[in-house]
PDB file of all heavy atoms in Angstrom:
ATOM      1  N   TRP C  17      93.794  86.531  80.572  1.00 94.00           N
ATOM      2  CA  TRP C  17      92.592  85.748  80.315  1.00 94.00           C
ATOM      3  C   TRP C  17      92.227  85.645  78.834  1.00 94.00           C
ATOM      4  O   TRP C  17      91.662  84.654  78.396  1.00 94.00           O
ATOM      5  CB  TRP C  17      91.414  86.330  81.108  1.00 94.00           C
ATOM      6  CG  TRP C  17      90.849  87.605  80.512  1.00 94.00           C
ATOM      7  CD1 TRP C  17      89.838  87.714  79.606  1.00 94.00           C
ATOM      8  CD2 TRP C  17      91.305  88.936  80.763  1.00 94.00           C
ATOM      9  NE1 TRP C  17      89.625  89.027  79.281  1.00 94.00           N
ATOM     10  CE2 TRP C  17      90.501  89.802  79.981  1.00 94.00           C
ATOM     11  CE3 TRP C  17      92.290  89.496  81.586  1.00 94.00           C
ATOM     12  CZ2 TRP C  17      90.669  91.185  79.985  1.00 94.00           C
ATOM     13  CZ3 TRP C  17      92.456  90.860  81.595  1.00 94.00           C
ATOM     14  CH2 TRP C  17      91.654  91.688  80.796  1.00 94.00           C
ATOM     15  N   ASN C  18      92.569  86.654  78.020  1.00 94.00           N
ATOM     16  CA  ASN C  18      92.141  86.641  76.627  1.00 94.00           C
ATOM     17  C   ASN C  18      93.282  86.366  75.641  1.00 94.00           C
ATOM     18  O   ASN C  18      93.141  86.590  74.448  1.00 94.00           O
ATOM     19  CB  ASN C  18      91.438  87.953  76.263  1.00 94.00           C
ATOM     20  CG  ASN C  18      92.330  89.170  76.448  1.00 94.00           C
ATOM     21  OD1 ASN C  18      93.430  89.082  77.000  1.00 94.00           O
ATOM     22  ND2 ASN C  18      91.847  90.318  75.991  1.00 94.00           N
ATOM     23  N   PHE C  19      94.400  85.860  76.149  1.00 95.00           N
ATOM     24  CA  PHE C  19      95.502  85.513  75.263  1.00 95.00           C
ATOM     25  C   PHE C  19      95.185  84.213  74.530  1.00 95.00           C
ATOM     26  O   PHE C  19      94.716  83.247  75.135  1.00 95.00           O
ATOM     27  CB  PHE C  19      96.808  85.355  76.057  1.00 95.00           C
ATOM     28  CG  PHE C  19      98.008  85.070  75.190  1.00 95.00           C
ATOM     29  CD1 PHE C  19      98.639  86.096  74.507  1.00 95.00           C
ATOM     30  CD2 PHE C  19      98.522  83.782  75.063  1.00 95.00           C
ATOM     31  CE1 PHE C  19      99.743  85.848  73.714  1.00 95.00           C
ATOM     32  CE2 PHE C  19      99.622  83.516  74.258  1.00 95.00           C
ATOM     33  CZ  PHE C  19     100.236  84.558  73.583  1.00 95.00           C
ATOM     34  N   LEU C  20      95.401  84.176  73.215  1.00 92.00           N
ATOM     35  CA  LEU C  20      95.134  82.989  72.400  1.00 92.00           C
ATOM     36  C   LEU C  20      96.345  82.067  72.452  1.00 92.00           C
ATOM     37  O   LEU C  20      97.421  82.418  71.973  1.00 92.00           O
ATOM     38  CB  LEU C  20      94.822  83.380  70.955  1.00 92.00           C
ATOM     39  CG  LEU C  20      93.626  84.323  70.771  1.00 92.00           C
ATOM     40  CD1 LEU C  20      93.460  84.696  69.309  1.00 92.00           C
ATOM     41  CD2 LEU C  20      92.356  83.680  71.306  1.00 92.00           C
ATOM     42  N   ASN C  21      96.157  80.884  73.011  1.00 90.00           N
ATOM     43  CA  ASN C  21      97.276  80.021  73.369  1.00 90.00           C
ATOM     44  C   ASN C  21      97.684  79.081  72.221  1.00 90.00           C
ATOM     45  O   ASN C  21      97.538  77.864  72.317  1.00 90.00           O
ATOM     46  CB  ASN C  21      96.919  79.208  74.614  1.00 90.00           C
ATOM     47  CG  ASN C  21      98.153  78.785  75.385  1.00 90.00           C
ATOM     48  OD1 ASN C  21      99.265  79.219  75.106  1.00 90.00           O
ATOM     49  ND2 ASN C  21      97.952  77.934  76.374  1.00 90.00           N
ATOM     50  N   PHE C  22      98.206  79.637  71.141  1.00 93.00           N
ATOM     51  CA  PHE C  22      98.723  78.837  70.047  1.00 93.00           C
ATOM     52  C   PHE C  22     100.197  78.521  70.273  1.00 93.00           C
ATOM     53  O   PHE C  22     100.883  79.212  71.039  1.00 93.00           O
ATOM     54  CB  PHE C  22      98.543  79.560  68.708  1.00 93.00           C
ATOM     55  CG  PHE C  22      97.105  79.613  68.252  1.00 93.00           C
ATOM     56  CD1 PHE C  22      96.285  80.663  68.627  1.00 93.00           C
ATOM     57  CD2 PHE C  22      96.586  78.608  67.456  1.00 93.00           C
ATOM     58  CE1 PHE C  22      94.957  80.702  68.219  1.00 93.00           C
ATOM     59  CE2 PHE C  22      95.265  78.649  67.042  1.00 93.00           C
ATOM     60  CZ  PHE C  22      94.451  79.694  67.424  1.00 93.00           C
ATOM     61  N   ARG C  23     100.684  77.487  69.609  1.00 93.00           N
ATOM     62  CA  ARG C  23     102.057  77.035  69.735  1.00 93.00           C
ATOM     63  C   ARG C  23     102.740  76.991  68.361  1.00 93.00           C
ATOM     64  O   ARG C  23     102.083  76.764  67.357  1.00 93.00           O
ATOM     65  CB  ARG C  23     102.115  75.645  70.376  1.00 93.00           C
ATOM     66  CG  ARG C  23     101.771  75.637  71.879  1.00 93.00           C
ATOM     67  CD  ARG C  23     102.867  76.284  72.671  1.00 93.00           C
ATOM     68  NE  ARG C  23     102.705  76.220  74.115  1.00 93.00           N
ATOM     69  CZ  ARG C  23     102.124  77.139  74.837  1.00 93.00           C
ATOM     70  NH1 ARG C  23     101.590  78.208  74.231  1.00 93.00           N
ATOM     71  NH2 ARG C  23     102.045  77.021  76.145  1.00 93.00           N
ATOM     72  N   PRO C  24     104.066  77.195  68.311  1.00 94.00           N
ATOM     73  CA  PRO C  24     104.764  77.098  67.032  1.00 94.00           C
ATOM     74  C   PRO C  24     104.836  75.657  66.556  1.00 94.00           C
ATOM     75  O   PRO C  24     104.728  74.724  67.354  1.00 94.00           O
ATOM     76  CB  PRO C  24     106.157  77.640  67.356  1.00 94.00           C
ATOM     77  CG  PRO C  24     106.351  77.341  68.815  1.00 94.00           C
ATOM     78  CD  PRO C  24     104.995  77.479  69.439  1.00 94.00           C
ATOM     79  N   GLY C  25     105.015  75.460  65.255  1.00 94.00           N
ATOM     80  CA  GLY C  25     105.149  74.100  64.749  1.00 94.00           C
ATOM     81  C   GLY C  25     104.963  73.998  63.254  1.00 94.00           C
ATOM     82  O   GLY C  25     104.774  74.993  62.550  1.00 94.00           O
ATOM     83  N   LEU C  26     105.045  72.775  62.774  1.00 94.00           N
ATOM     84  CA  LEU C  26     104.790  72.476  61.366  1.00 94.00           C
ATOM     85  C   LEU C  26     103.283  72.428  61.149  1.00 94.00           C
ATOM     86  O   LEU C  26     102.561  71.820  61.940  1.00 94.00           O
ATOM     87  CB  LEU C  26     105.419  71.129  60.985  1.00 94.00           C
ATOM     88  CG  LEU C  26     106.920  70.971  61.255  1.00 94.00           C
ATOM     89  CD1 LEU C  26     107.349  69.539  60.945  1.00 94.00           C
ATOM     90  CD2 LEU C  26     107.728  71.953  60.423  1.00 94.00           C
ATOM     91  N   VAL C  27     102.821  73.044  60.098  1.00 93.00           N
ATOM     92  CA  VAL C  27     101.386  73.099  59.826  1.00 93.00           C
ATOM     93  C   VAL C  27     101.065  72.235  58.616  1.00 93.00           C
ATOM     94  O   VAL C  27     101.252  72.632  57.471  1.00 93.00           O
ATOM     95  CB  VAL C  27     100.912  74.544  59.595  1.00 93.00           C
ATOM     96  CG1 VAL C  27      99.406  74.569  59.373  1.00 93.00           C
ATOM     97  CG2 VAL C  27     101.294  75.425  60.779  1.00 93.00           C
ATOM     98  N   GLY C  28     100.612  71.015  58.882  1.00 85.00           N
ATOM     99  CA  GLY C  28     100.249  70.101  57.810  1.00 85.00           C
ATOM    100  C   GLY C  28      98.846  69.589  57.996  1.00 85.00           C
ATOM    101  O   GLY C  28      97.986  70.254  58.570  1.00 85.00           O
ATOM    102  N   GLY C  29      98.594  68.386  57.507  1.00 81.00           N
ATOM    103  CA  GLY C  29      97.276  67.795  57.631  1.00 81.00           C
ATOM    104  C   GLY C  29      96.358  68.162  56.492  1.00 81.00           C
ATOM    105  O   GLY C  29      96.696  68.918  55.589  1.00 81.00           O
ATOM    106  N   HIS C  30      95.152  67.634  56.578  1.00 80.00           N
ATOM    107  CA  HIS C  30      94.193  67.769  55.488  1.00 80.00           C
ATOM    108  C   HIS C  30      93.418  69.081  55.522  1.00 80.00           C
ATOM    109  O   HIS C  30      92.683  69.379  54.589  1.00 80.00           O
ATOM    110  CB  HIS C  30      93.201  66.609  55.542  1.00 80.00           C
ATOM    111  CG  HIS C  30      92.325  66.619  56.753  1.00 80.00           C
ATOM    112  ND1 HIS C  30      92.828  66.536  58.027  1.00 80.00           N
ATOM    113  CD2 HIS C  30      90.982  66.730  56.891  1.00 80.00           C
ATOM    114  CE1 HIS C  30      91.823  66.584  58.891  1.00 80.00           C
ATOM    115  NE2 HIS C  30      90.712  66.704  58.236  1.00 80.00           N
ATOM    116  N   CYS C  31      93.553  69.875  56.589  1.00 84.00           N
ATOM    117  CA  CYS C  31      92.715  71.066  56.727  1.00 84.00           C
ATOM    118  C   CYS C  31      93.502  72.380  56.822  1.00 84.00           C
ATOM    119  O   CYS C  31      93.424  73.209  55.928  1.00 84.00           O
ATOM    120  CB  CYS C  31      91.807  70.942  57.948  1.00 84.00           C
ATOM    121  SG  CYS C  31      90.437  69.802  57.709  1.00 84.00           S
ATOM    122  N   ILE C  32      94.241  72.563  57.938  1.00 87.00           N
ATOM    123  CA  ILE C  32      94.825  73.876  58.221  1.00 87.00           C
ATOM    124  C   ILE C  32      95.781  74.333  57.131  1.00 87.00           C
ATOM    125  O   ILE C  32      95.790  75.497  56.740  1.00 87.00           O
ATOM    126  CB  ILE C  32      95.535  73.885  59.596  1.00 87.00           C
ATOM    127  CG1 ILE C  32      94.545  73.530  60.702  1.00 87.00           C
ATOM    128  CG2 ILE C  32      96.148  75.261  59.872  1.00 87.00           C
ATOM    129  CD1 ILE C  32      95.157  73.488  62.088  1.00 87.00           C
ATOM    130  N   GLY C  33      96.588  73.416  56.604  1.00 87.00           N
ATOM    131  CA  GLY C  33      97.551  73.779  55.575  1.00 87.00           C
ATOM    132  C   GLY C  33      96.980  73.829  54.169  1.00 87.00           C
ATOM    133  O   GLY C  33      97.694  74.163  53.219  1.00 87.00           O
ATOM    134  N   VAL C  34      95.690  73.488  54.035  1.00 90.00           N
ATOM    135  CA  VAL C  34      95.059  73.390  52.717  1.00 90.00           C
ATOM    136  C   VAL C  34      93.904  74.376  52.550  1.00 90.00           C
ATOM    137  O   VAL C  34      93.812  75.088  51.544  1.00 90.00           O
ATOM    138  CB  VAL C  34      94.551  71.945  52.475  1.00 90.00           C
ATOM    139  CG1 VAL C  34      93.769  71.858  51.166  1.00 90.00           C
ATOM    140  CG2 VAL C  34      95.726  70.965  52.466  1.00 90.00           C
ATOM    141  N   ASP C  35      92.998  74.412  53.520  1.00 93.00           N
ATOM    142  CA  ASP C  35      91.767  75.191  53.403  1.00 93.00           C
ATOM    143  C   ASP C  35      91.984  76.654  53.018  1.00 93.00           C
ATOM    144  O   ASP C  35      91.222  77.202  52.209  1.00 93.00           O
ATOM    145  CB  ASP C  35      90.963  75.114  54.701  1.00 93.00           C
ATOM    146  CG  ASP C  35      90.418  73.721  54.966  1.00 93.00           C
ATOM    147  OD1 ASP C  35      90.700  72.805  54.157  1.00 93.00           O
ATOM    148  OD2 ASP C  35      89.724  73.526  55.989  1.00 93.00           O
ATOM    149  N   PRO C  36      92.996  77.345  53.589  1.00 95.00           N
ATOM    150  CA  PRO C  36      93.171  78.756  53.215  1.00 95.00           C
ATOM    151  C   PRO C  36      93.349  78.981  51.716  1.00 95.00           C
ATOM    152  O   PRO C  36      92.931  80.015  51.185  1.00 95.00           O
ATOM    153  CB  PRO C  36      94.430  79.173  53.986  1.00 95.00           C
ATOM    154  CG  PRO C  36      94.465  78.253  55.169  1.00 95.00           C
ATOM    155  CD  PRO C  36      93.948  76.952  54.657  1.00 95.00           C
ATOM    156  N   TYR C  37      93.952  78.017  51.019  1.00 95.00           N
ATOM    157  CA  TYR C  37      94.175  78.170  49.579  1.00 95.00           C
ATOM    158  C   TYR C  37      92.870  78.138  48.794  1.00 95.00           C
ATOM    159  O   TYR C  37      92.778  78.698  47.707  1.00 95.00           O
ATOM    160  CB  TYR C  37      95.129  77.104  49.055  1.00 95.00           C
ATOM    161  CG  TYR C  37      96.568  77.320  49.468  1.00 95.00           C
ATOM    162  CD1 TYR C  37      97.274  76.344  50.166  1.00 95.00           C
ATOM    163  CD2 TYR C  37      97.222  78.503  49.157  1.00 95.00           C
ATOM    164  CE1 TYR C  37      98.593  76.546  50.539  1.00 95.00           C
ATOM    165  CE2 TYR C  37      98.552  78.719  49.530  1.00 95.00           C
ATOM    166  CZ  TYR C  37      99.218  77.732  50.215  1.00 95.00           C
ATOM    167  OH  TYR C  37     100.533  77.943  50.580  1.00 95.00           O
ATOM    168  N   TYR C  38      91.842  77.464  49.334  1.00 95.00           N
ATOM    169  CA  TYR C  38      90.539  77.480  48.676  1.00 95.00           C
ATOM    170  C   TYR C  38      89.916  78.873  48.761  1.00 95.00           C
ATOM    171  O   TYR C  38      89.303  79.353  47.807  1.00 95.00           O
ATOM    172  CB  TYR C  38      89.613  76.428  49.303  1.00 95.00           C
ATOM    173  CG  TYR C  38      89.832  75.049  48.699  1.00 95.00           C
ATOM    174  CD1 TYR C  38      90.939  74.292  49.046  1.00 95.00           C
ATOM    175  CD2 TYR C  38      88.946  74.526  47.765  1.00 95.00           C
ATOM    176  CE1 TYR C  38      91.171  73.052  48.471  1.00 95.00           C
ATOM    177  CE2 TYR C  38      89.167  73.280  47.191  1.00 95.00           C
ATOM    178  CZ  TYR C  38      90.274  72.552  47.548  1.00 95.00           C
ATOM    179  OH  TYR C  38      90.489  71.327  46.973  1.00 95.00           O
ATOM    180  N   LEU C  39      90.096  79.530  49.902  1.00 95.00           N
ATOM    181  CA  LEU C  39      89.570  80.882  50.066  1.00 95.00           C
ATOM    182  C   LEU C  39      90.352  81.889  49.230  1.00 95.00           C
ATOM    183  O   LEU C  39      89.757  82.748  48.555  1.00 95.00           O
ATOM    184  CB  LEU C  39      89.595  81.272  51.547  1.00 95.00           C
ATOM    185  CG  LEU C  39      89.012  82.646  51.894  1.00 95.00           C
ATOM    186  CD1 LEU C  39      87.563  82.759  51.433  1.00 95.00           C
ATOM    187  CD2 LEU C  39      89.110  82.886  53.405  1.00 95.00           C
ATOM    188  N   THR C  40      91.687  81.783  49.241  1.00 96.00           N
ATOM    189  CA  THR C  40      92.494  82.741  48.467  1.00 96.00           C
ATOM    190  C   THR C  40      92.267  82.565  46.971  1.00 96.00           C
ATOM    191  O   THR C  40      92.302  83.531  46.215  1.00 96.00           O
ATOM    192  CB  THR C  40      93.995  82.592  48.793  1.00 96.00           C
ATOM    193  OG1 THR C  40      94.448  81.254  48.503  1.00 96.00           O
ATOM    194  CG2 THR C  40      94.245  82.911  50.262  1.00 96.00           C
ATOM    195  N   HIS C  41      92.042  81.329  46.526  1.00 94.00           N
ATOM    196  CA  HIS C  41      91.730  81.076  45.118  1.00 94.00           C
ATOM    197  C   HIS C  41      90.484  81.839  44.696  1.00 94.00           C
ATOM    198  O   HIS C  41      90.476  82.516  43.658  1.00 94.00           O
ATOM    199  CB  HIS C  41      91.527  79.570  44.899  1.00 94.00           C
ATOM    200  CG  HIS C  41      90.845  79.217  43.615  1.00 94.00           C
ATOM    201  ND1 HIS C  41      91.494  79.210  42.400  1.00 94.00           N
ATOM    202  CD2 HIS C  41      89.534  78.875  43.346  1.00 94.00           C
ATOM    203  CE1 HIS C  41      90.638  78.881  41.447  1.00 94.00           C
ATOM    204  NE2 HIS C  41      89.453  78.660  42.001  1.00 94.00           N
ATOM    205  N   LYS C  42      89.438  81.749  45.490  1.00 95.00           N
ATOM    206  CA  LYS C  42      88.188  82.426  45.156  1.00 95.00           C
ATOM    207  C   LYS C  42      88.341  83.939  45.271  1.00 95.00           C
ATOM    208  O   LYS C  42      87.799  84.687  44.447  1.00 95.00           O
ATOM    209  CB  LYS C  42      87.062  81.940  46.069  1.00 95.00           C
ATOM    210  CG  LYS C  42      85.675  82.407  45.650  1.00 95.00           C
ATOM    211  CD  LYS C  42      85.304  81.885  44.270  1.00 95.00           C
ATOM    212  CE  LYS C  42      83.925  82.356  43.839  1.00 95.00           C
ATOM    213  NZ  LYS C  42      83.583  81.864  42.474  1.00 95.00           N
ATOM    214  N   ALA C  43      89.087  84.382  46.291  1.00 96.00           N
ATOM    215  CA  ALA C  43      89.309  85.823  46.459  1.00 96.00           C
ATOM    216  C   ALA C  43      90.007  86.412  45.238  1.00 96.00           C
ATOM    217  O   ALA C  43      89.621  87.474  44.723  1.00 96.00           O
ATOM    218  CB  ALA C  43      90.142  86.073  47.712  1.00 96.00           C
ATOM    219  N   GLU C  44      91.047  85.723  44.753  1.00 95.00           N
ATOM    220  CA  GLU C  44      91.779  86.204  43.574  1.00 95.00           C
ATOM    221  C   GLU C  44      90.920  86.139  42.323  1.00 95.00           C
ATOM    222  O   GLU C  44      91.038  86.977  41.429  1.00 95.00           O
ATOM    223  CB  GLU C  44      93.060  85.389  43.389  1.00 95.00           C
ATOM    224  CG  GLU C  44      94.106  85.687  44.472  1.00 95.00           C
ATOM    225  CD  GLU C  44      95.327  84.818  44.380  1.00 95.00           C
ATOM    226  OE1 GLU C  44      95.202  83.670  43.872  1.00 95.00           O
ATOM    227  OE2 GLU C  44      96.421  85.251  44.830  1.00 95.00           O
ATOM    228  N   GLU C  45      90.030  85.173  42.273  1.00 94.00           N
ATOM    229  CA  GLU C  45      89.117  85.030  41.133  1.00 94.00           C
ATOM    230  C   GLU C  45      88.183  86.231  41.019  1.00 94.00           C
ATOM    231  O   GLU C  45      87.803  86.629  39.905  1.00 94.00           O
ATOM    232  CB  GLU C  45      88.306  83.739  41.279  1.00 94.00           C
ATOM    233  CG  GLU C  45      87.597  83.278  40.024  1.00 94.00           C
ATOM    234  CD  GLU C  45      86.898  81.953  40.207  1.00 94.00           C
ATOM    235  OE1 GLU C  45      85.823  81.925  40.821  1.00 94.00           O
ATOM    236  OE2 GLU C  45      87.427  80.939  39.739  1.00 94.00           O
ATOM    237  N   VAL C  46      87.808  86.816  42.152  1.00 95.00           N
ATOM    238  CA  VAL C  46      86.918  87.983  42.133  1.00 95.00           C
ATOM    239  C   VAL C  46      87.692  89.295  42.234  1.00 95.00           C
ATOM    240  O   VAL C  46      87.114  90.357  42.459  1.00 95.00           O
ATOM    241  CB  VAL C  46      85.845  87.894  43.248  1.00 95.00           C
ATOM    242  CG1 VAL C  46      84.936  86.685  43.008  1.00 95.00           C
ATOM    243  CG2 VAL C  46      86.476  87.828  44.641  1.00 95.00           C
ATOM    244  N   GLY C  47      89.023  89.223  42.104  1.00 96.00           N
ATOM    245  CA  GLY C  47      89.825  90.433  41.999  1.00 96.00           C
ATOM    246  C   GLY C  47      90.420  90.973  43.273  1.00 96.00           C
ATOM    247  O   GLY C  47      90.841  92.133  43.320  1.00 96.00           O
ATOM    248  N   TYR C  48      90.480  90.158  44.338  1.00 97.00           N
ATOM    249  CA  TYR C  48      91.072  90.620  45.588  1.00 97.00           C
ATOM    250  C   TYR C  48      92.295  89.783  45.933  1.00 97.00           C
ATOM    251  O   TYR C  48      92.236  88.551  45.924  1.00 97.00           O
ATOM    252  CB  TYR C  48      90.064  90.540  46.736  1.00 97.00           C
ATOM    253  CG  TYR C  48      90.646  91.058  48.042  1.00 97.00           C
ATOM    254  CD1 TYR C  48      90.687  92.425  48.299  1.00 97.00           C
ATOM    255  CD2 TYR C  48      91.170  90.190  48.994  1.00 97.00           C
ATOM    256  CE1 TYR C  48      91.244  92.912  49.473  1.00 97.00           C
ATOM    257  CE2 TYR C  48      91.730  90.663  50.159  1.00 97.00           C
ATOM    258  CZ  TYR C  48      91.764  92.024  50.397  1.00 97.00           C
ATOM    259  OH  TYR C  48      92.328  92.500  51.557  1.00 97.00           O
ATOM    260  N   ARG C  49      93.378  90.437  46.243  1.00 95.00           N
ATOM    261  CA  ARG C  49      94.618  89.778  46.636  1.00 95.00           C
ATOM    262  C   ARG C  49      94.686  89.697  48.158  1.00 95.00           C
ATOM    263  O   ARG C  49      94.913  90.698  48.843  1.00 95.00           O
ATOM    264  CB  ARG C  49      95.824  90.560  46.096  1.00 95.00           C
ATOM    265  CG  ARG C  49      97.182  90.039  46.556  1.00 95.00           C
ATOM    266  CD  ARG C  49      97.605  88.789  45.852  1.00 95.00           C
ATOM    267  NE  ARG C  49      98.971  88.386  46.249  1.00 95.00           N
ATOM    268  CZ  ARG C  49      99.529  87.248  45.879  1.00 95.00           C
ATOM    269  NH1 ARG C  49      98.875  86.397  45.086  1.00 95.00           N
ATOM    270  NH2 ARG C  49     100.765  86.949  46.269  1.00 95.00           N
ATOM    271  N   PRO C  50      94.515  88.495  48.753  1.00 95.00           N
ATOM    272  CA  PRO C  50      94.482  88.370  50.212  1.00 95.00           C
ATOM    273  C   PRO C  50      95.897  88.319  50.806  1.00 95.00           C
ATOM    274  O   PRO C  50      96.486  87.252  50.923  1.00 95.00           O
ATOM    275  CB  PRO C  50      93.745  87.045  50.419  1.00 95.00           C
ATOM    276  CG  PRO C  50      94.038  86.259  49.166  1.00 95.00           C
ATOM    277  CD  PRO C  50      94.243  87.239  48.055  1.00 95.00           C
TER     278      PRO C  50
END
């Protein structure tokens, strides 16, 4: 019942393949390596 049903594949588009880099950029700016 609690298994997360994701599938393998290419990760593109305007959000999923991009948004994490905005967070990691800020994290590294404040001294944390994500």
